[in-house]
Amino acid sequence: MRRLLNAETLSGAFVLALGGIGLLAIGNLEIGTLNDMGPGYMARAVAWAILAFGAVILLMGLRAEMPPIPAMEWRPALAISLATIAFGATIDRQGIVIATIAMTVLAGFASPITRHRETPILAAALAAGAALVFVVGLKLAIPIWPR
Amino acid sequence: MDVFANIALGFSVAFTPVNLLFCFFGVLMGTLVGVLPGIGTVATMSMLLPATFHLAPATSLIMLAGIYYGAQYGGSTTAILVKLPGEASSVATVLDGYAMAQKGRAGAALTIAALASLFAGTVSTLLIAMGGPVMAQIALKFGPAEYFSLMLLGLVASVVLASGSIVKAIAMILAGVFLGLIGPDANSPVPRMTFGIAELSEGVNFVAIAVGLYGLSEIILNLEQRLIRTAPVAMRELMPNREEFRRSVGPAIRGTALGSLLGILPGGGPLLASFGAYALEKKISPTPERFGHGAPEGVAAPEAANNAGAQTSFVPLLTLGVPSNAIMAVMAGAMTIQGIAPGPKVMVEHAPLFWGMIASMWIGNFMLVVLNLPLVGLWVKLLQVPYRILYPAILFFCCIGVYSISNSAFDVYLAVGFGIAGYAMIKLGFEPTPLLLGFILGPMMEENLKRTFLLSGGSAAPFYERPISLTLLILTVAMLLLMALPAFKRTRETALSAQ
């Protein structure tokens, strides 16, 4: 039996989901007429086109033997996301130094290539550089220390 | 005014000390960005946008343009020396550039790349100088129907160079168009399709998408592959030998011609140009089997083409006001900051700015040859920084770049979302570039579509009755048909799978 769940059917499902979210976002936006298009006219056309292409990809995946779903490695994806979120969550109030240190420490967990004894030095260097170049030098409106 | 008077005016602007300094700063930054993978041109230029507030319009555009074409040079350096294309447009150079380096001809490959780029830069600058005014004349005839058809052509063209499935590429374009429509709406005060999120009322932040799709997902992919730096190849001599030089001349000329042409095309630019030129050389070569094993033609052609394409991709922006790729969208943003509306009037109303920028490209290309050949050792040193040190630094640049656009933590989270989605998408065989292009062109297409139907009272006649629009649409259909041809499909797959 052919695998129903393969890279192509998953891709199709992904695109279908995008189209579905699109339609949800559109809600009941006004369509208007061809000579006076409302805000929902083109958006709706595009969302339905996305759905159509999603269906095509899905059906093509069902029709023939396709490569299996590629293996995903979640460790780097998760650690990099958390590191970035930590940066966003702290920079407004805790300042660029703490945000950069938090980001560097979390990012260190993304891969076994990291040498954790290097992390403190790297974090300190990045934080100092960040504060000097971006806040002192380029004068971005970001606090250096917690406020 | 004739061409020479225009060029003279341009040089008088570009040769002021301030403009020379910022031109140098731009190409230096560009080289750096090109050398380091993981920091994109788009993110760098966007990050520097706030810094251009205080500069004169010509100065700021000269600097930003320098970053752009500087990155083309830097990207090829790493492509040749460590098999890592710093920029997507140097992917085609990797094949033969790195193969040459392994044979001990790294220096020769670098020189060929630099000289081919300089040649292409010179010719395409002249082409812009001569062709720009003509294009601006044509642009004056453009109505909304022509603009819509042109952008449609651009989107379809971008599918040709997306690797993998055409259906998936089109799905990505559509997703990009939809993302572009989110937020402001010309007809109503209420932002649309935002799920009530206030931060989206001005639209999805372009930089968050670009950094997420290109920056974050690339870090994740690199870590997954346990990216281990290939040691840079030792260099013996910089000069190509007679044979290598002879083989490079033709490809450089053809690459320049093809690159200039493909750069003008909306959706085109250096990426399409470099792949196109590589495929062309392989096709017409009597010995195609040498390609991929260190053929100098495979370095000269894509390098000439990507530089020519980078230069001429300014043409649609400066004459039509239509940015043909993500980087041109940033340039359009920079012009708007300076109070200049991109479009056919730039050449007339801001003649010193227009010609000054063009002249600066020529000067910048010379600076790049000087920067890249003697200083190549310095760039190689930079590459020896191990990835475990480099990736947190790149991640930091991604974070600060997105955040500093409007000091918004929301944009940083948005970038995370696009990073994860981008990672999953790339794994499933989707390409981010069509999405980005759809995002830029989508809102403009909607605007022009609306206007066309408003003017015609709901009739589609303007699209096929107006000759320019009809021509553009015929080209679009022809391109779609071409892609459906099995023979073309195979060529495209072999050309692109070469990556």
Side-chain angles (χ1 to χ4, degrees):
Chain A
M1 193 191 132
R2 286 199 301 256
R3 264 187 306 259
L4 286 185
L5 202 60
N6 57 43
E8 292 305 296
T9 50
L10 186 67
S11 301
F14 172 71
V15 174
L16 279 174
L18 289 183
I21 298 171
L23 278 184
L24 259 174
I26 294 167
N28 53 5
L29 270 181
E30 188 197 338
I31 301 179
T33 56
L34 196 55
N35 56 10
D36 185 17
M37 291 184 187
Y41 197 103
M42 175 136 158
R44 241 186 217 89
V46 172
W48 281 108
I50 295 175
L51 285 175
F53 275 94
V56 169
I57 298 170
L58 184 79
L59 290 176
M60 283 183 357
L62 287 175
R63 210 190 48 185
E65 195 68 45
M66 286 291 174
I69 295 171
M72 307 263 177
E73 255 188 64
W74 292 110
R75 179 175 162 183
L78 200 67
I80 293 297
S81 301
L82 284 177
T84 313
I85 290 172
F87 183 91
T90 49
I91 189 157
D92 278 331
R93 308 204 129 265
Q94 309 303 317
I96 198 166
V97 169
I98 289 181
T100 307
I101 291 173
M103 186 212 78
T104 314
V105 170
L106 283 169
F109 292 100
S111 163
I113 63 171
T114 302
R115 296 181 189 166
H116 287 285
R117 61 193 152 81
E118 284 174 356
T119 303
I121 308 165
L122 185 61
L126 275 180
L132 281 177
V133 173
F134 289 95
V135 185
V136 179
L138 290 173
K139 298 194 167 54
L140 297 188
I142 301 171
I144 295 182
W145 302 108
R147 57 178 167 196
Chain B
M1 270 203 292
D2 67 343
V3 177
F4 293 102
N6 285 330
I7 292 180
L9 171 69
F11 276 108
S12 71
V13 174
F15 260 116
T16 58
V18 178
N19 288 346
L20 279 177
L21 183 72
F22 276 92
C23 182
F24 179 75
F25 180 68
V27 295
L28 187 69
M29 283 290 291
T31 310
L32 198 68
V33 164
V35 166
L36 293 174
I39 311 177
T41 323
V42 176
T44 313
M45 286 170 67
S46 320
M47 240 192 62
L48 283 171
L49 271 189
T52 64
F53 282 130
H54 309 293
L55 298 177
T59 312
S60 84
L61 293 181
I62 284 173
M63 181 188 80
L64 291 171
I67 297 178
Y68 179 34
Y69 55 80
Q72 312 297 329
Y73 274 76
S76 53
T77 304
T78 53
I80 291 167
L81 291 182
V82 284
K83 208 183 176 185
L84 263 180
E87 295 294 312
S89 55
S90 9
V91 170
T93 312
V94 167
L95 302 161
D96 283 286
Y98 187 65
M100 275 183 82
Q102 280 177 313
K103 286 193 205 163
R105 302 301 300 160
L110 284 172
T111 307
I112 290 174
L115 292 182
S117 297
L118 177 65
F119 172 75
T122 309
V123 172
S124 58
T125 303
L126 269 173
L127 280 179
I128 302 177
M130 291 188 295
V134 182
M135 283 287 285
Q137 281 302 314
I138 299 173
L140 292 175
K141 297 196 180 76
F142 268 46
E146 281 81 7
Y147 275 111
F148 180 85
S149 306
L150 180 72
M151 292 176 207
L152 195 67
L153 175 63
L155 286 183
V156 170
S158 79
V159 175
V160 182
L161 77 140
S163 63
S165 143
I166 289 172
V167 186
K168 282 180 176 175
I170 299 178
M172 280 297 99
I173 289 182
L174 290 166
V177 170
F178 192 88
L179 283 169
L181 296 181
I182 292 174
D185 168 40
N187 297 5
S188 86
V190 190
R192 57 179 165 169
M193 301 176 289
T194 61
F195 286 116
I197 300 166
E199 282 91 346
L200 288 178
S201 57
E202 291 295 310
V204 182
N205 186 336
F206 169 73
V207 178
I209 298 186
V211 167
L213 288 182
Y214 289 91
L216 298 183
S217 57
E218 187 174 324
I219 297 177
I220 298 172
L221 283 165
N222 285 342
L223 288 173
E224 181 179 299
Q225 291 158 2
R226 310 258 193 289
L227 186 83
I228 297 158
R229 280 303 161 89
T230 330
V233 193
M235 262 187 309
R236 280 173 228 153
E237 52 201 286
L238 279 173
M239 278 319 284
N241 58 35
R242 190 180 291 266
E243 167 75 1
E244 285 162 340
F245 191 79
R246 189 183 59 76
R247 284 191 181 279
S248 307
V249 174
I253 294 171
R254 284 187 293 272
T256 303
L258 189 69
S260 304
L261 201 70
L262 292 178
I264 294 174
L265 202 72
L271 183 62
L272 180 62
S274 61
F275 276 115
Y278 188 85
L280 175 75
E281 287 308 319
K282 202 172 170 179
K283 185 101 196 159
I284 64 170
S285 166
T287 50
E289 66 281 355
R290 286 173 41 252
F291 279 76
H293 302 286
E297 298 96 311
V299 176
E303 282 305 309
N306 71 21
N307 208 38
Q311 314 270 46
T312 55
S313 62
F314 280 91
V315 170
L317 176 72
L318 292 174
T319 58
L320 298 166
V322 176
S324 55
N325 56 37
I327 289 155
M328 287 303 118
V330 181
M331 291 297 294
M335 292 175 83
T336 317
I337 286 178
Q338 300 282 358
I340 301 163
K345 288 194 182 122
V346 173
M347 216 173 288
V348 185
E349 287 171 10
H350 304 278
L353 173 116
F354 180 87
W355 296 105
M357 198 163 114
I358 292 187
S360 85
M361 290 185 194
W362 204 54
I363 300 169
N365 272 293
F366 267 108
M367 289 182 179
L368 279 164
V369 172
V370 176
L371 263 179
N372 274 276
L373 291 183
L375 295 182
V376 75
L378 189 79
W379 305 121
V380 170
K381 281 237 164 50
L382 204 66
L383 275 163
Q384 281 161 341
V385 179
Y387 197 64
R388 63 170 196 278
I389 307 280
L390 202 56
Y391 85 84
I394 296 172
L395 183 62
F396 166 75
F397 281 109
C398 289
C399 290
I400 194 87
V402 175
Y403 178 78
S404 63
I405 294 296
S406 51
N407 278 21
S408 151
F410 177 82
D411 285 344
V412 178
Y413 305 144
L414 205 59
V416 174
F418 280 106
I420 294 291
Y423 165 70
M425 272 160 32
I426 292 168
K427 285 291 235 178
L428 286 173
F430 290 94
E431 283 258 318
T433 304
L435 187 146
L436 209 59
L437 210 61
F439 178 81
I440 299 156
L441 293 179
M444 289 193 243
M445 288 176 83
E446 186 194 34
E447 197 48 45
N448 285 296
L449 190 67
K450 264 185 186 170
R451 239 182 266 164
T452 309
F453 281 121
L454 190 66
L455 292 172
S456 73
S459 154
F463 290 112
Y464 55 83
E465 277 178 357
R466 297 175 64 110
I468 299 178
S469 170
L470 182 66
T471 314
L472 292 167
L473 287 178
I474 290 173
L475 282 174
T476 310
V477 174
M479 209 169 270
L480 278 172
L481 289 178
L482 195 68
M483 273 188 272
L485 285 180
F488 181 81
K489 244 184 193 163
R490 271 197 305 277
T491 317
R492 171 176 169 274
E493 270 157 22
T494 29
L496 290 167
S497 69
Q499 332 182 359

